[in-house]
């Protein structure tokens, strides 16, 4: 096992693998320019950064949905083929508006996300109607098959290890379709960014949908989760719902119809170096000084979230109101700032949630504000520099989700904060397993407990604040998003090496590093796998 820090460019693997990522949201967005060319914008997400570094030394193909109009035009102009973009290879999948709507706005986000974050009020919702079933068949299944087909068609003839990493709940059926097309010559290793709840939560899904998801994931070689708890829940869910699935006492392995599938935790992290750099940029410094002017001498209680029911923003506001009622000495001395970015507004629940947040914040301000003090300020918008600026200044960072795969805000905040701020962290955030010891624990449903935790943080002795903040910063610095990804590649490579040594099949000729460039240039690959493989 090679050693590396998160800031390394990337490890050298003994066997040069072809790495394929599949995700709904891709690494780049395109917009058409007047001269017919395209402007490329690189996404800011951690996965993009991790793969960007890896792509400097290894061949990386990313398959994603065309989301914007520009993405569609770009894919069309390139006849839906693999193209080289900023050191990676990219293929965008175009689907019809209806198919995308059904996949994203009927199945993936409203149904699976809500099940996995346990957000349903089951006496009323969800109702799985004819429309849902139609969206499953004509949106979700179709899109997943499109992804698998696009991946299979893009794979060149090579004897190098091929590792395919489908990301998240949008692509649950991809492993099944891939295995059908490619057989055992590839390592399939999905990673699930969101929580995997225990068997009970999955009873909401009709049996055939549930079984299709589990059987597909069990066509993988290993499934990556944020925490050991998620991995264990997956094992239990498979055992509970699939009669042929057994774990033989193991907490992290499922045996299903001759296949041994590992369930492993790879806790995701942030790009430490990049976040530290952004914190120092002039744009961020300017925002810091503007925020300092606005906060004055008050203690800052900060939250930074997508507008997302699972983030529990409403109960956070409720707790703040209760704090001002229970501990009047904090009135005028604290400032709550919520930086909220709109998300998934095509889903009704998200629109309703934003409306309720604004109403609750308005009620708090109406009840407590005076001519010098507005207790809550909500800023809606996507401004990462502002988020990083505010994180430097918090006295309390409130992270109280009902459920969260990891929660990167907790890690970003711990890294950049300058005030020895206190992290209030939900016991149901994945980050709790790494950071919980040095945070104040919040049970997301317990308003009273949250009030007490805020009060405790506001009155915490400076040396305790310092001790906790330093410990948190140290933990975040130790791990980063590159290591998160390299660990997955390492495991897949190890497995593919042992698989190769078991196989007595004859070797195909070694392909060059630029094997993908034949598809990139538009020439058809002569190695498109057939269904019989
Ligand atoms: P999720 O992936 O569920 O949205 P995370 O906390 O894991 O939650 O990651 C969210 C990312 O988006 C973080 O990098 C965070 O800094 C960023 N972000 C969240 N809210 C905002 C906001 N209002 N403005 C700018 N960036 C935001
Ligand atoms: O990080 C939260 C998350 O839901 C991921 O699990 C997921 O892949 C991504 O965000 C999708 O976000 P969006 O719906 O904005 O594409």
């Amino acid at each position: 096992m090679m050693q590396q820090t998160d800031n390394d460019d990337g490890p050298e693997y003994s066997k040069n693998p072809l790495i394929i990522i599949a995700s709904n949201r891709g690494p780049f967005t395109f917009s058409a320019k007047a001269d017919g060319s395209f402007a490329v914008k690189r996404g800011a997400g951690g996965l993009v950064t991790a793969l960007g570094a890896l792509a400097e030394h290894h061949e990386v193909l990313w398959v994603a949905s065309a989301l914007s109009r520009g993405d569609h035009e770009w894919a069309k102009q390139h006849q839906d083929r693999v193209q080289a973009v900023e050191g990676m290879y990219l293929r965008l999948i175009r689907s019809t508006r209806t198919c995308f709507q059904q996949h994203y706005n009927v199945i993936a986000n409203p149904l699976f996300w809500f099940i996995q974050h346990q957000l349903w009020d089951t006496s009323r919702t969800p109702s799985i109607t004819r429309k849902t079933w139609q969206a499953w068949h004509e949106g979700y299944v179709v899109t997943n098959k499109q992804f698998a087909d696009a991946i299979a068609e893009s794979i060149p003839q090579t004897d190098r290890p091929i590792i395919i990493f489908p990301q998240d709940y949008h692509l649950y059926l991809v492993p099944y379709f891939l295995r059908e097309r490619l057989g055992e010559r590839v390592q399939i290793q999905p990673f699930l960014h969101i929580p995997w709840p225990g068997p009970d939560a999955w009873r909401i899904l009709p049996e055939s949908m549930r079984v299709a998801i589990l059987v597909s994931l069990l066509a993988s070689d290993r499934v990556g989760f944020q925490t050991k708890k998620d991995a264990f829940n997956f094992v239990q869910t498979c055992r509970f719902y699939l009669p042929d699935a057994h774990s033989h006492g193991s907490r992290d392995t499922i045996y299903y119809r001759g296949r041994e599938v590992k369930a492993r935790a790879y806790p995701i992290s942030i790009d430490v170096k990049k976040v530290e750099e952004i914190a120092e940029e002039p744009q961020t410094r300017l925002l810091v000084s503007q925020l300092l002017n606005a906060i004055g001498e008050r203690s800052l209680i900060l939250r930074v979230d997508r507008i997302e029911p699972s983030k529990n923003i409403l109960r956070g506001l409720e707790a703040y109101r209760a704090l001002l009622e229970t501990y009047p000495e904090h009135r005028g001395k604290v400032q709550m700032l919520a930086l909220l970015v709109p998300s998934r507004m095509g889903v009704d629940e998200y629109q309703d949630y934003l409306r309720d947040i604004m109403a609750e914040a308005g009620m708090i301000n109406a009840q407590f504000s005076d001519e010098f003090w507005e207790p809550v300020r909500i800023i809606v918008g996507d401004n990462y520099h502002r988020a990083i600026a505010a994180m430097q200044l918090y006295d309390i960072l409130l992270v109280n989700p009902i459920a969260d795969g990891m929660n990167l805000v907790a890690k970003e905040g711990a890294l950049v904060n300058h005030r020895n701020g206190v992290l209030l962290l939900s016991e149901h955030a994945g980050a709790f397993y790494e950071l919980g010891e040095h945070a104040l624990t919040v049970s997301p449903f317990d308003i009273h407990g949250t009030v007490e935790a805020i009060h405790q943080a506001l009155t915490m002795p400076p040396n305790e604040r310092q001790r906790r903040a330093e410990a948190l910063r140290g933990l975040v610095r130790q791990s980063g998003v590159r290591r998160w990804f390299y660990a997955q590649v390492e495991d897949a490579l190890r497995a593919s090496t042992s698989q190769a040594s078991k196989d007595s099949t004859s070797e195909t000729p070694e392909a060059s590093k630029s094997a993908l460039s034949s598809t990139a240039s538009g020439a058809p690959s002569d190695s498109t796998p057939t269904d019989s493989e």
Side-chain angles (χ1 to χ4, degrees), residues 44 113 117 194 268 270 303-308 310-311 338-344 379-388 391 404-410 412:
W113 178 277
H117 291 80
I194 68 175
I268 199 168
I270 57 172
R303 68 175 312 139
V304 180
D305 304 274
R306 276 186 307 109
I307 297 166
E308 161 62 61
S310 61
K311 301 291 180 186
L339 302 182
L340 305 179
V341 64
S343 167
R344 303 175 194 164
I379 302 180
V380 175
D382 189 358
N383 182 338
Y384 191 64
H385 285 84
R386 183 168 55 205
I388 294 296
M391 287 179 204
D404 210 331
M406 176 53 63
N407 196 286
L408 295 179
V409 169
E412 291 163 336

Side-chain angles (χ1 to χ4, degrees), residues 110-176:
L111 192 57
F112 295 167
W113 178 277
F114 273 55
I115 286 175
Q116 293 189 239
H117 291 80
Q118 307 199 57
L119 295 173
W120 292 119
D121 169 12
T122 50
S123 62
R124 294 171 192 280
T125 52
S127 295
I128 294 175
T129 61
R130 193 186 178 82
K131 190 176 139 227
T132 324
W133 275 104
Q134 199 178 352
W136 165 256
H137 290 299
E138 295 171 16
Y140 195 83
V141 178
V142 168
T143 306
N144 275 253
K145 182 142 192 341
Q146 264 183 308
F147 264 83
D149 288 345
I151 294 167
E153 284 158 15
S154 307
I155 290 180
Q157 181 80 3
T158 179
D159 69 343
R160 288 158 46 198
I162 299 170
I163 315 169
I164 307 172
F165 295 99
Q167 302 295 299
D168 238 343
Y169 57 101
H170 313 93
L171 301 180
Y172 280 147
L173 304 184
V174 165
Y176 175 85

Side-chain angles (χ1 to χ4, degrees), residues 38 214 233 254 274 309 327 346 454 460 462:
F38 287 88
L214 296 177
N233 281 342
I254 281 281
K274 192 163 149 206
Y327 296 102
I454 298 175
M460 188 178 279

